[in-house]
Amino acid sequence: MKRTAVLMLVIGIALFTAVLAWQGFGAVARAMSAVGWLGLAAVTAWHIVPLVIDSHAWRLLFQKPRPPVWRIIWARWIGESVNGLLPVAQIGGDIAKARLLIKRQLPAAQTGATVVVDTTLAAIGQMLFAIAGLLMLVALMARPDLAWAIGIGIAVMLGLLALFYRLQRGGLFVLLARALKKIAGGRHTFDFVGGAGALDTAIGRIYGAPGVVLRGLAWRLVGWFVGIGEVWLALYFLGEPVGLDDALMLEALGQAIRGAAFAIPGALGVQEGGFALLAPLVGLSMETGVAISLVKRVRELAFGVPGLIAWQVAEGRSVSGRARSARPAI
């Protein structure tokens, strides 16, 4: 597994370097210098808005009394940092944030269930967001003949999400735990969330309140659309202002491309190549598209590096706390 992660990281670095070389290091550097520190700070600060919105959507899935909102924001920040900067295939951060909350005395099965359902709602929200981007792309290209192909692709993706939902309702994690136990030589993979059976029960309880689930999905979708602001601000400070419709297309399809490359840490190279290809569709140069992606990279580092430090501090306190409790009294 570690070898695969390292291989994916090497591939990502190679792709990243290749895209920069393709567009010209000098041209990309000039585009980035046009953004300036003020632009980078504005894009970084804007990310706080969707972070808070997504945290609110996740918090809704907990049973009352719900955890304090600041704790959920803290856990999501760390989870995003892990997923964004480490080779964990976009799932390590979800495990990390669940563990952090469980160690702070939140119910294990309920916390694990909220993470699973929230991740599912995020995928559905991103799918709807991508559909909006695809529809915008069809309108911009004036190619109605593409609508059929796009429609088939959307139907397939929605079908896969519906299947995943049904599997969750049908005891997915009990079946998964049995398979993983055989692979892992008898180790119980879901012990930290109270066991697979408890996790399935807690997931079923959340889905048993459709009003709460729909509210969570609505807020998740709001979070995706608010994220358009990052692209809009980046292009504004690049001296290439665009309308919200163009920013929507770029962000929606750029995020879809990044999501498809989940196996590569941070979608290195893939995200840059995606924005380079999307930018000309709204009259921008490929170098500007790469610059958009690099602005996003700076934002990820500005949020992610402190997030990883906070994660290590939190884990260190947890370890030292267990050591003190295990120390025999004198």
Side-chain angles (χ1 to χ4, degrees):
M1 190 68 179
K2 290 182 179 179
R3 290 181 180 177
T4 302
V6 171
L7 176 61
M8 290 297 101
L9 179 59
V10 170
I11 292 173
I13 293 173
L15 288 172
F16 181 78
T17 305
V19 171
L20 292 185
W22 170 41
Q23 292 305 309
F25 292 101
V28 174
R30 286 191 295 273
M32 281 296 293
S33 65
V35 180
W37 289 107
L38 180 60
L40 294 174
V43 172
T44 300
W46 181 261
H47 186 68
I48 296 174
V49 182
L51 175 67
V52 172
I53 291 173
D54 291 345
S55 298
H56 174 66
W58 179 23
R59 183 171 178 265
L60 288 173
L61 302 177
F62 284 86
Q63 292 181 346
K64 296 180 180 179
R66 297 185 176 103
V69 64
W70 64 265
R71 179 164 290 177
I72 297 297
I73 293 173
W74 169 76
R76 178 168 290 284
W77 167 49
I78 291 177
E80 280 191 8
S81 302
V82 173
N83 278 343
L85 298 182
L86 297 181
V88 292
Q90 295 297 306
I91 59 172
D94 296 318
I95 295 173
K97 68 188 183 187
R99 280 171 51 87
L100 288 173
L101 292 182
I102 291 168
K103 288 178 179 179
R104 278 148 187 80
Q105 310 308 311
L106 268 69
Q110 180 190 158
T111 301
T114 62
V115 170
V116 172
V117 175
D118 180 61
T119 302
T120 304
L121 296 182
I124 295 172
Q126 184 174 12
M127 183 72 64
L128 297 174
F129 186 47
I131 290 172
L134 287 169
L135 293 176
M136 193 61 64
L137 176 62
V138 171
L140 288 171
M141 295 181 68
R143 290 279 306 278
D145 55 303
L146 292 176
W148 282 104
I150 291 174
I152 293 172
I154 290 171
V156 170
M157 290 185 286
L158 290 176
L160 291 174
L161 283 174
L163 175 62
F164 183 56
Y165 165 77
R166 288 304 306 163
L167 288 173
Q168 287 182 43
R169 298 300 304 272
L172 168 65
F173 291 96
V174 168
L175 297 174
L176 186 58
R178 290 172 183 167
L180 291 176
K181 185 177 178 181
K182 293 179 181 179
I183 296 172
R187 291 195 298 272
H188 295 279
T189 308
F190 297 100
D191 281 353
F192 83 101
V193 290
L199 181 61
D200 277 328
T201 300
I203 289 172
R205 188 179 298 117
I206 294 174
Y207 282 128
V212 171
V213 174
L214 289 175
R215 284 170 60 200
L217 175 59
W219 278 109
R220 266 301 200 165
L221 193 56
V222 169
W224 283 115
F225 275 95
V226 168
I228 296 169
E230 285 191 17
V231 168
W232 190 91
L233 284 169
L235 287 169
Y236 175 81
F237 284 99
L238 277 166
E240 301 276 5
V242 297
L244 288 177
D245 53 348
D246 292 339
L248 164 61
M249 190 278 288
L250 290 170
E251 175 69 2
L253 298 188
Q255 288 289 354
I257 291 170
R258 179 187 173 106
F262 67 91
I264 297 176
L268 272 173
V270 177
Q271 176 176 288
E272 284 70 30
F275 275 107
L277 295 174
L278 291 171
L281 298 178
V282 294
L284 302 172
S285 67
M286 286 188 168
E287 301 92 75
T288 301
V290 175
I292 295 171
S293 180
L294 294 181
V295 170
K296 283 177 166 287
R297 296 289 183 200
V298 173
R299 188 269 296 162
E300 286 177 7
L301 289 171
F303 263 89
V305 172
L308 293 181
I309 294 172
W311 178 41
Q312 292 305 302
V313 170
E315 291 287 356
R317 287 177 178 172
S318 177
V319 171
S320 62
R322 288 199 301 270
R324 284 195 299 269
S325 64
R327 191 178 302 158
I330 298 175

